[in-house]
Amino acid sequence: MNFSSWPSLLVVDVEGNGTNPPDLVEVAALPVRDGRPDTSTAGAWLTRPKNPVTPFAARVHGLTNKRLEHEPGWEEIADTVHTLLGGSWICAHNAHVDYKVLSAHLPRWQPAGVLDTLRLAKATYSGLPKYGLDALIEHVRLDLSAAPAQRHRATFDAYAAALLLIEMAGHYDTWDRLVAAAVPPGLPGAPQAAEEPTLW
């Protein structure tokens, strides 16, 4: 894979407060450049949700209401997040979830396309019993010694998904083939079906 052919791309991850629909409590956006995660230009934000974090969500990611009480509200950071994301491609594990939540919080934002490492893993490593992020980290034997924070924090999960994407990209010889395997139908960037010829 020639990484220099890739468009601007950020691996994203979001953590929520456990409600449905969720309020955001953490967002991470990690650029991938030249086949490597670029932590020097990454963005990571904690945000105080409008509704309290549920006990279950706090147990998963460790972000309690007390931890978040002095963080900025979403309206204070939304423009900054939007600016970093811009019109780049994004990638996430089970990406329709992150895309849906970010789109709800950033109604004017539209990525160029959405890669899903879950969908890509099913195409790349067929026959695995599980395709969750933990299972894939173990299968690929990712070196996460430099990952920030810990599992289920947005910065850690974005870093892990970025390494997973880079590893799987080696199985595809062009960006277009990667896109064909990784973009879920109906999300931005999905290859368009060829139009049927008509008599007109």
Side-chain angles (χ1 to χ4, degrees):
M1 170 65 74
N2 177 12
F3 288 103
S4 66
S5 68
W6 284 29
S8 176
L9 181 143
L10 299 103
V11 180
V12 301
D13 190 76
V14 302
E15 301 297 335
N17 67 332
T19 62
N20 188 19
D23 291 338
L24 287 172
V25 297
E26 187 176 30
V27 179
L30 175 62
V32 172
R33 294 191 175 94
D34 300 320
R36 293 187 302 274
D38 182 5
T39 55
S40 69
T41 59
W45 303 268
L46 291 173
T47 178
R48 183 183 69 255
K50 290 182 179 178
N51 296 297
V53 178
T54 67
F56 176 79
R59 284 194 299 272
V60 171
H61 49 55
L63 295 171
T64 63
N65 291 300
K66 184 171 180 58
R67 171 66 182 83
L68 297 167
E69 65 182 346
H70 298 301
E71 298 297 338
W74 177 251
E75 65 281 356
E76 298 175 69
I77 63 170
D79 286 348
T80 304
V81 178
H82 191 173
T83 297
L84 181 63
L85 294 177
S88 298
W89 281 74
I90 64 163
C91 174
H93 196 69
N94 205 11
H96 74 277
V97 173
D98 300 79
Y99 172 69
K100 181 178 179 181
V101 174
L102 283 170
S103 295
H105 284 77
L106 297 170
R108 295 181 293 108
W109 167 69
Q110 180 69 17
V114 180
L115 301 180
D116 182 4
T117 48
L118 174 60
R119 180 179 178 85
L120 184 60
K122 290 180 177 180
T124 308
Y125 309 123
S126 60
L128 295 184
K130 294 181 180 179
Y131 289 93
L133 191 54
D134 288 320
L136 291 167
I137 288 170
E138 184 175 344
H139 176 73
V140 181
R141 301 185 184 279
L142 293 179
D143 178 6
L144 294 171
S145 58
Q150 69 276 345
R151 180 73 171 94
H152 297 300
R153 288 291 301 273
T155 50
F156 182 102
D157 290 0
Y159 187 88
L163 293 188
L164 182 61
L165 172 65
I166 292 162
E167 174 68 25
M168 290 190 292
H171 295 258
Y172 299 85
D173 56 2
T174 67
W175 168 258
D176 288 344
R177 289 190 176 181
L178 181 73
V179 165
V183 180
L187 291 191
Q192 299 297 313
E195 292 187 12
E196 292 292 327
T198 69
L199 296 176
W200 306 103

